[in-house]
Amino acid sequence: MVSELRPHFDRLTEEWWETTKLAYELYPEIVTLTGDEVRRAIRNLLGPDVQLELLDGVYRTYSRATFERVIGNDTTNRSMAWRELYDCDDFAWQFKARMRWFYNVSAVGFVIDHSAGHAYNLVVFADGTASLLEPQSDRFVEVGEEISFLKGLPLPAGSSGRYSLNDGMVII
């Protein structure tokens, strides 16, 4: 039994080591933003009426280019989805937690999008801009873009099938 688990353990150890090395390398690039700067970035992206819950007064983040490096190294998207057991909200929480745990980055939001029947992330960058992130595919997505992996699947009742946030909220 132990010998069967060894390759899995070795892979996890390697992933952890690679993530830790990258986090130490990128630490000097962390930028601090105020809660007001984060609020402004999110409202510029999603509009002034977005339901928003800021949990801190200060946030840490990277430039978009550095985030793209981090996302390329992140393994959240490799998790297996299990309907209702490990699905979109779990991917989004995992990505948010990994960014805080490994990279000391807190400017990653959890988006509950009732209009899409979906959960995903929002990232605020060092320059005060923000973007939506699909943690299941490691892709930055545009507001209004079709949720690509839902193509051909039955949508939840009332779902737009798009990253729209017409009804929902951001927790950051």
Side-chain angles (χ1 to χ4, degrees):
M1 176 71 165
V2 172
S3 62
E4 293 171 14
L5 294 175
R6 185 66 190 192
H8 180 70
F9 176 76
D10 289 345
R11 182 184 55 81
L12 290 175
T13 301
E14 182 63 26
E15 286 174 6
W16 178 86
W17 183 242
E18 290 302 315
T19 300
T20 302
K21 286 191 304 189
L22 182 60
Y24 278 107
E25 176 187 331
L26 297 177
Y27 188 79
E29 297 184 33
I30 290 179
V31 173
T32 301
L33 299 176
T34 66
D36 287 339
E37 290 171 310
V38 167
R39 180 181 285 108
R40 191 169 28 258
I42 294 169
R43 291 212 162 124
N44 284 342
L45 177 69
L46 299 173
D49 298 326
V50 64
Q51 189 176 352
L52 178 58
E53 189 67 43
L54 268 73
L55 303 177
D56 295 307
V58 175
Y59 292 84
R60 302 183 82 178
T61 192
Y62 294 125
S63 68
R64 183 177 178 125
T66 300
F67 247 107
E68 288 173 353
R69 253 184 98 190
V70 167
I71 290 165
N73 187 64
D74 181 62
T75 59
T76 300
N77 63 312
R78 295 186 206 153
S79 298
M80 284 187 57
W82 296 342
R83 188 174 196 89
E84 297 303 323
L85 294 175
Y86 194 92
D87 54 8
C88 59
D89 58 304
D90 300 296
F91 278 91
W93 279 124
Q94 181 182 355
F95 181 80
K96 179 174 176 41
R98 288 176 64 89
M99 293 304 103
R100 185 70 180 99
W101 179 261
F102 286 112
Y103 297 98
N104 200 23
V105 168
S106 55
V108 174
F110 178 77
V111 179
I112 304 167
D113 189 342
H114 297 297
S115 51
H118 193 45
Y120 44 90
N121 296 105
L122 179 143
V123 178
V124 178
F125 303 111
D127 66 357
T129 61
S131 185
L132 302 178
L133 175 82
E134 176 53 69
Q136 294 183 65
S137 62
D138 283 349
R139 265 186 352 101
F140 286 111
V141 296
E142 299 294 323
V143 175
E145 183 178 325
E146 185 176 11
I147 301 172
S148 60
F149 61 85
L150 292 179
K151 286 180 184 172
L153 297 175
L155 297 175
S159 171
S160 67
R162 299 188 174 280
Y163 300 95
S164 58
L165 201 60
N166 294 328
D167 176 24
M169 72 179 305
V170 177
I171 303 168
I172 188 167

